[in-house]
Amino acid sequence: MFESARTTRFVRDATWQRGSALIVALVFLLAMTLIGVTAMQGTTQQESMAGNARQRNLAFQAAEAALRAGESVLQGATLPAFDNAGSNLGFRQPVTPTTDVGTYWLDTYCWAVKTGCTNAESQAYSGTLSEIGDPPRFVVEELPRVTLPGGSLKFGALPDTGFYRVTARSLGGTADAVAILQTTYRR
């Protein structure tokens, strides 16, 4: 009778330990699952941010290329006529925005064919760029001429200096990534 009591006690202790080990293992499994899900969410967010940064960089580089194309036209010996009639694509007299300047260049100015405007207001970049949604476009505006102070007795006053505003716009690989760059060029 003494041995049977011992055996019963041994079986009861073993059963209790197996049950608690299962609960502890399930708690650890739940914790590991939560850590894994959190890590996946963080990785997904980082992947999205890296993609957005790449699209922004593509748009910026393409707009920079169009900006340099507009400046290279200004380096030529003769310049095209600057008018607002659209006879020379992308070469205009200055435009006075009626709205906020930031939203004017982004929304109001005609960069693509849309209702009420044509592409005649901007010139497409002629180079080849990969992974860009649309070719970047640029506009060169002739600003009023300026007489700079100074000169010399021998050569007289300095000639009038021409200033030009070059504005370039580009998309990245998607229409959501837009870059607009602007520079003032002195000639």
Side-chain angles (χ1 to χ4, degrees), residues 134-168:
D134 287 329
R137 304 188 73 80
F138 68 90
V139 172
V140 179
E141 294 174 290
E142 183 179 35
L143 300 175
R145 296 191 73 76
V146 174
T147 303
L148 297 175
S152 69
L153 295 174
K154 183 175 181 180
F155 296 109
L158 293 174
D160 287 350
T161 303
F163 285 93
Y164 303 88
R165 179 172 44 220
V166 183
T167 306

